[in-house]
Amino acid sequence: MGLTGIFLISFLIVHCGINAMIFFNDGGETFNHWAHFMGSNLIVRTMEIGLFVFLLLHIVQGLMLWGQNNKARPVKYAVNNASSNSTWYSRSMGLLGTLILLFLVLHLYHFWTPSRFGGIAGIHSLEETSLSAEYNGQAVHNLYLEMQTVFQEHLWVVIVYVLGVISLCWHLIHGFQSAFQTLGINHKKYTPLIKGVGVAYSVIICLLFAAMPIAIYAGWIQ
Ligand code: HEM
């Protein structure tokens, strides 16, 4: 779980970094350029297979761990003052993980499916829009337009994304340091540092992700 978690943590840095280019407010030019690079580069496309395998593995490992924990104590404690022996987010990793999974299903439908298989979620096909992006003289899928379409029109989608990202934030705050602990890195001096970096990473990444649908819905990004 630790290794798959660290791989997913690295993916989120790249994903968030490229998406944050929408904040240049240049009509999506820089963002589309890099999104297209990521979508067409052979090495990145090969890593994408790894990403989905790791994501699936992470979910299966989480479910197995949850099952093992339940089996270890089939008869529940008569008195269980959970808050005194574990933190809220360590007890809620399963619930938060499930919420993130639901968010991901919607998210992949919005962006990944149309970018790989054509069309734009929610509206007509790319050919019908006048806004197909250009890259090296070639018409390519306009993911910036896709973002505008997904977030500009429906408040409920923005709310689901923000809730998904809040769940992700809690999940990461606990998961970051837990991944290092699982790999045996637990040290009086370094563990507080790892925890601090984990909290900073989780908050920055999730604030940036949450700002994307909000900024587009509010019209701050055109
Ligand atoms: C909230 C703001 C977010 C926006 C605007 C956004 C946008 C996008 C876009 C445009 C793509 C398509 C990339 C492509 O096909 O080349 C994508 C793919 C993807 N996103 Fe996000 N994303 C967001 C948050 C997240 C979060 C929080 C996660 C994970 C928990 C995530 C996981 C993924 C995955 C797994 C893919 C498919 C990977 C791939 O294309 O190789 N995204 N996202």
Side-chain angles (χ1 to χ4, degrees):
M1 273 223 98
L3 278 181
T4 50
I6 286 174
F7 182 86
L8 295 172
I9 283 169
S10 332
F11 158 75
L12 283 178
I13 296 177
V14 178
H15 188 28
C16 189
I18 290 182
N19 284 5
M21 290 179 192
I22 61 167
F23 295 120
F24 288 144
N25 222 343
D26 57 359
E29 219 181 298
T30 318
F31 165 73
N32 267 337
H33 176 89
W34 286 102
H36 179 68
F37 169 78
M38 296 299 280
S40 57
N41 182 282
L42 198 67
I43 300 171
V44 182
R45 289 303 296 271
T46 312
M47 281 176 77
E48 190 182 49
I49 301 170
L51 170 69
F52 282 109
V53 171
F54 271 44
L55 192 63
L56 215 68
L57 208 62
H58 191 75
I59 296 166
V60 171
Q61 286 167 329
L63 288 173
M64 278 167 63
L65 204 65
W66 179 73
Q68 271 169 17
N69 285 349
N70 274 355
K71 237 182 21 212
R73 177 153 291 279
V75 181
K76 300 279 165 254
Y77 289 111
V79 177
N80 182 19
N81 186 3
S83 58
S84 66
N85 50 38
S86 61
T87 55
W88 181 81
Y89 42 80
S90 81
R91 278 177 278 121
S92 55
M93 286 303 267
L95 172 71
L96 294 180
T98 309
L99 282 176
I100 297 165
L101 187 61
L102 292 176
F103 154 79
L104 266 179
V105 172
L106 183 71
H107 181 51
L108 293 181
Y109 161 73
H110 278 151
F111 294 108
W112 182 78
T113 320
S115 117
R116 296 294 178 267
F117 306 105
I120 291 192
I123 56 164
H124 22 75
S125 72
L126 184 63
E127 291 73 39
E128 289 171 48
T129 70
S130 55
L131 269 164
S132 67
E134 257 200 29
Y135 181 77
N136 284 349
Q138 255 187 326
V140 296
H141 192 88
N142 189 342
L143 277 169
Y144 186 72
L145 171 69
E146 180 91 56
M147 265 202 216
Q148 298 278 345
T149 311
V150 166
F151 299 132
Q152 231 166 28
E153 290 169 16
H154 306 290
L155 182 62
W156 73 266
V157 174
V158 176
I159 294 171
V160 169
Y161 268 72
V162 172
L163 289 178
V165 169
I166 293 172
S167 311
L168 177 70
C169 188
W170 284 113
H171 193 79
L172 284 173
I173 285 178
H174 176 72
F176 192 99
Q177 68 95 24
S178 173
F180 285 89
Q181 190 167 323
T182 306
L183 297 175
I185 305 167
N186 196 348
H187 189 277
K188 241 203 286 184
K189 201 163 123 197
Y190 300 117
T191 297
L193 182 72
I194 292 172
K195 274 189 183 167
V197 172
V199 173
Y201 160 87
S202 313
V203 172
I204 293 170
I205 291 272
C206 293
L207 276 178
L208 277 169
F209 269 137
M212 293 165 197
I214 294 174
I216 292 175
Y217 185 77
W220 298 329
I221 292 174
Q222 300 296 326

